Amino acid sequence: MSDSDNRETGPDSPNSPEGADRGWETGGSVFDRSKTGSGAAATGGGAGSGEQALLQAGTSRGTGRAKKTAPVPAFLGPYATILAREEHPDREEVDRRSYRRGVRLVTFWFALAGVAAVAFIVLNFAGDVHKEYYTPVLGICIGVAMAGLGFGLVVWNKRLMPDEEAVQERHPLHSSPDDVVAFEEDFARGYQETGVGRHKVLRRTLLAAAGLLGLAPLAMIFNFGSIPHGELQVTRWTRGARLATRDGVALRLGDLPIGGIATVYPAIPDQNGKFVALTDNQTAADSTVMLIRLRPGEDQPVPGRETWSVEGHVAYSKICTHAGCPVGLYERTTQHLLCPCHQSTFLVTQHCLPIFGPAARPLPQLPIAVDADGYFIAQSDFIEPVGPSWWSRT
Amino acid sequence: MSHVTNARSAPRRRPLPATLVVLLGLFVIAGVWLLVAPRSKAQGTGDNAATVTKGRVLFERGCSSCHGLHGEGTNQAPTLIGVGAAAADFQLTTGRMPLPAPGAEAERRDPIYPPEQIEALSAYVGSLAPGPPIPSIGDQQWNDADLAEGGELFRANCASCHQAAGKGGALTYGKHAPALSEATPVEALEAIRTGPENMPVFSPTQINDDQAVAIAKYVQFVTNPPDPGGAGLGHLGPIPEGLVIWLIGMTGVAAAALWIGSRQA
């Protein structure tokens, strides 16, 4: 279909209002046409302002067919019709005032938005970043600016633009009758050709096989194993287990400098009494612990945990209580432990209290002591489950 | 045209003496400077007491307003007693000190002090109390360092903050672990031993000197890896590479397709 076809069929379509067609035929931009309209309206008295043109156009539409000689701003047509309703003795004056009020209101909102935007820019540079007011006021400024723009646009639409109810016809969604018949014939022929209707054995074995295959995934539910009971409550830490690095080296008092951190695993004596570090994945998944050395007196233990640390050394589970990531980012001056996955932040000096992020519980603390040989040992297992919460966690 | 110009400028040798005069002047100035200028090398290798004294003068002038007259610290800056020469050398060579402005974190920049003054300042800070000395790496030690072991240690101890490729990463409250691409091996060792700012400290009992050198070697390798394929695109992995392929490569292919199509129409 070429461009000229479009032009021919356009005006003949039943839904297009006559005024619109005439408007487009005058050529030029929308603004040009509205100017032309205002020029014609000027003859009706008053200055050639936009609203005059509008009223004039409305009158002409209201009294009968649009004058072909004086091009009407077609896109204002319906609004002009509303204006032309002669319910008030001085209808035109009332509408003109209402229009002016609308213009003033929109202007007010836009001006407010502009002022707020300027205030934002000024405050951004002139404000004191460290003061409490800074961020909230910045937010208020940008909020007022955006709300002003929004209100202005809405008011513009409601008060100054034509209140037009447009109905757009949907395209038909159904296929043409010929297509429907053709498809039905195709389908019937295909069904005949497969022979499903004739071969009872084929039909039944196909249904049986497909049904059994559909059941197969359900069998995998049993692969999850039994419902965990006690395993989630305990780790591999026991009384007397040494704190060993991944290389299997048990740490002693003095190995860590102040501000030092080590990731440690339980080292448990084997049959010969030799301590063996458990660094396999099963153990590491729940028993990985951070040993941190704070400055003397820096730790603020909660009541009942005063004896859980040794000379400023504290030990906490490395498994985040939110989603189980390894909490490895230690900041020694702020004493923050940061989880890299979701930015949960724990305060080491206050039993790893979560101070930011999605984690809801503190990191479980491992009570530690030093044995006769100077090695760090665990006093016991954790007194609470490590890692993320689950549905039946007590 | 040129003939006329030549004829008019009869004493045409005039520019040459002027150039000579300027050159001579420059040579004289350079010669005087060579005679007068301080020999940094000679002063640097002077006896330790003199260096410490020089460092103390520099310290009182440039550092004491925050760190206290004797490095005892104030409410604005930590004490430097016991931090060791390594800490001072790290902070000064990476330009983090003197601090340009208080903030969440000191950023790396060009050093303010020249090397011989850094040496003096470090010697003075190191003389306040025992602390980690400025490390030195022997050629043999560097060559023997195990890159794979360094990588393993880096991923176990450093990667959580500095990221596995040494690109750095975000910390809490506006702080961040810096990228290590500019860190020299000595700076890496100093950081391991002294824990600048929020970095934890790693003692020789945790990571021995050979292991620390291996880590430094890995840092050098991973932040400046060989790029057999051409531009490394920041070594950020498949995302920027894919971006380049899609934005540049596929756009080019599409443009070529359009061009071929337009030719055949």
Side-chain angles (χ1 to χ4, degrees):
Chain A
M1 198 187 223
S2 76
D3 215 12
S4 60
D5 290 335
N6 263 332
R7 221 171 268 147
E8 280 165 18
T9 53
D12 295 336
S13 61
N15 287 336
S16 68
E18 180 122 332
D21 296 336
R22 296 284 88 77
W24 287 108
E25 278 174 14
T26 58
S29 72
V30 168
F31 300 105
D32 291 340
R33 289 198 296 281
S34 62
K35 275 182 208 157
T36 322
S38 79
T43 56
S49 67
E51 75 195 68
Q52 276 289 350
L54 215 126
L55 294 167
Q56 180 70 23
T59 313
S60 65
R61 286 297 297 280
T63 51
R65 305 288 298 169
K67 292 173 192 164
K68 304 268 163 69
T69 49
V72 170
F75 66 104
L76 293 177
Y79 182 68
T81 313
I82 292 163
L83 286 181
R85 283 196 305 251
E86 291 175 5
E87 293 153 357
H88 192 276
D90 198 358
R91 179 73 209 168
E92 281 191 16
E93 181 58 25
V94 170
D95 289 336
R96 197 179 288 121
R97 283 183 183 173
S98 166
Y99 192 89
R100 281 179 184 157
R101 273 203 303 279
V103 169
R104 277 200 296 273
L105 200 55
V106 174
T107 313
F108 164 75
W109 283 118
F110 286 167
L112 183 68
V115 168
V118 169
F120 176 89
I121 293 166
V122 170
L123 183 74
N124 184 59
F125 296 111
D128 188 345
V129 181
H130 300 288
K131 285 286 191 302
E132 295 263 314
Y133 71 82
Y134 185 75
T135 312
V137 176
L138 273 187
I140 288 169
C141 284
I142 207 82
V144 168
M146 287 184 172
L149 269 187
F151 280 126
L153 290 173
V154 168
V155 172
W156 189 336
N157 189 322
K158 294 274 184 196
R159 300 278 294 269
L160 305 184
M161 287 179 67
D163 184 14
E164 182 179 7
E165 279 188 23
V167 178
Q168 186 176 14
E169 294 293 333
R170 274 194 194 142
H171 297 292
L173 289 171
H174 57 80
S175 308
S176 72
D178 291 347
D179 286 347
V180 172
V181 170
F183 176 79
E184 282 172 356
E185 283 172 358
D186 271 0
F187 193 86
R189 193 169 65 245
Y191 183 77
Q192 287 297 324
E193 283 173 358
T194 57
V196 172
R198 294 193 303 276
H199 302 293
K200 199 181 276 184
V201 181
L202 289 183
R203 193 168 68 230
R204 288 185 178 170
T205 47
L206 173 65
L207 285 174
L212 289 171
L213 188 60
L215 282 176
L218 293 179
M220 290 193 287
I221 288 174
F222 296 94
N223 297 359
F224 288 134
S226 57
I227 292 172
H229 293 288
E231 304 96 291
L232 294 174
Q233 309 280 347
V234 297
T235 69
R236 297 297 297 273
W237 289 100
T238 57
R239 179 176 177 78
R242 286 180 179 171
L243 278 60
T245 65
R246 197 164 183 86
D247 301 331
V249 181
L251 291 178
R252 279 195 282 195
L253 193 61
D255 280 351
L256 279 191
I258 288 173
I261 181 174
T263 301
V264 292
Y265 304 83
I268 292 169
D270 60 5
Q271 300 94 326
N272 307 323
K274 189 170 173 290
F275 281 85
V276 179
L278 307 171
T279 58
D280 58 291
N281 286 345
Q282 286 286 328
T283 309
D286 63 2
S287 305
T288 310
V289 158
M290 288 168 294
L291 181 66
I292 297 170
R293 183 171 185 182
L294 306 172
R295 280 194 295 277
E298 202 173 12
D299 190 25
Q300 299 166 20
V302 288
R305 293 191 182 180
E306 291 88 351
T307 58
W308 284 22
S309 59
V310 180
E311 303 275 333
H313 293 76
V314 290
Y316 289 97
S317 166
K318 197 174 182 171
I319 320 294
C320 186
T321 55
H322 167 236
C325 290
V327 186
L329 284 67
Y330 171 59
E331 301 171 10
R332 72 178 174 96
T333 59
T334 51
Q335 297 298 352
H336 292 166
L337 266 171
L338 173 67
C339 180
C341 290
H342 307 100
Q343 285 69 53
S344 290
T345 306
F346 303 90
L347 193 54
V348 179
T349 50
Q350 293 184 14
H351 65 279
C352 279
L353 201 69
I355 55 171
F356 180 83
R361 292 184 291 111
L363 296 173
Q365 186 174 3
L366 183 73
I368 55 169
V370 169
D371 67 9
D373 298 325
Y375 287 103
F376 287 107
I377 54 166
Q379 294 184 25
S380 69
D381 194 1
F382 293 100
I383 61 161
E384 57 183 326
V386 300
S389 301
W390 69 93
W391 62 94
S392 59
R393 183 183 186 275
T394 49
Chain B
M1 185 75 176
S2 61
H3 178 257
V4 174
T5 318
N6 282 345
R8 207 170 273 173
S9 56
R12 48 184 303 209
R13 290 180 65 195
R14 195 183 291 158
L16 201 60
T19 317
L20 268 180
V21 167
V22 170
L23 273 175
L24 267 176
L26 284 174
F27 271 114
V28 170
I29 292 169
V32 170
W33 185 84
L34 275 175
L35 288 174
V36 176
R39 300 268 163 83
S40 59
K41 200 78 177 175
Q43 286 204 349
T45 50
D47 66 325
N48 196 39
T51 314
V52 168
T53 309
K54 190 185 163 203
R56 184 163 58 79
V57 173
L58 284 167
F59 184 90
E60 285 167 359
R61 198 183 299 151
C63 320
S64 61
S65 61
C66 295
H67 286 291
L69 261 180
H70 308 288
E72 71 275 16
T74 66
N75 56 8
Q76 292 179 337
T79 175
L80 300 183
I81 296 170
V83 299
D89 186 58
F90 177 88
Q91 297 287 350
L92 293 166
T93 52
T94 61
R96 290 186 164 85
M97 290 290 152
L99 199 61
E105 194 167 292
E107 299 288 342
R108 188 189 180 102
R109 55 185 182 145
D110 290 335
I112 303 297
Y113 288 101
E116 70 271 10
Q117 294 191 356
I118 291 178
E119 190 183 345
L121 279 165
S122 304
Y124 170 68
V125 171
S127 73
L128 294 174
I134 299 175
S136 60
I137 306 172
D139 286 344
Q140 188 64 34
Q141 192 183 24
W142 181 259
N143 292 332
D144 289 349
D146 186 348
L147 198 58
E149 184 196 15
E152 217 158 278
L153 288 163
F154 185 87
R155 286 187 290 276
N157 295 292
C158 323
S160 54
C161 295
H162 288 291
Q163 201 244 39
K167 294 286 178 193
L171 293 175
T172 65
Y173 296 87
K175 300 186 290 292
H176 69 276
L180 304 179
S181 43
E182 290 177 62
T184 65
V186 169
E187 286 166 6
L189 291 183
E190 287 169 345
I192 291 169
R193 290 291 180 245
T194 66
E197 305 205 35
N198 267 296
M199 180 169 157
V201 188
F202 296 92
S203 66
T205 49
Q206 263 181 293
I207 294 174
N208 67 36
D209 284 346
D210 287 342
Q211 290 174 324
V213 171
I215 291 175
K217 192 172 180 178
Y218 176 77
V219 167
Q220 293 300 305
F221 168 79
V222 79
T223 54
N224 300 291
D227 284 321
L233 300 178
H235 305 113
L236 288 172
I239 289 175
E241 288 164 16
L243 201 67
V244 167
I245 286 170
W246 278 103
L247 287 184
I248 298 175
M250 292 307 286
T251 309
V253 169
L258 284 173
W259 180 72
I260 292 168
S262 71
R263 298 268 294 175
Q264 286 182 343

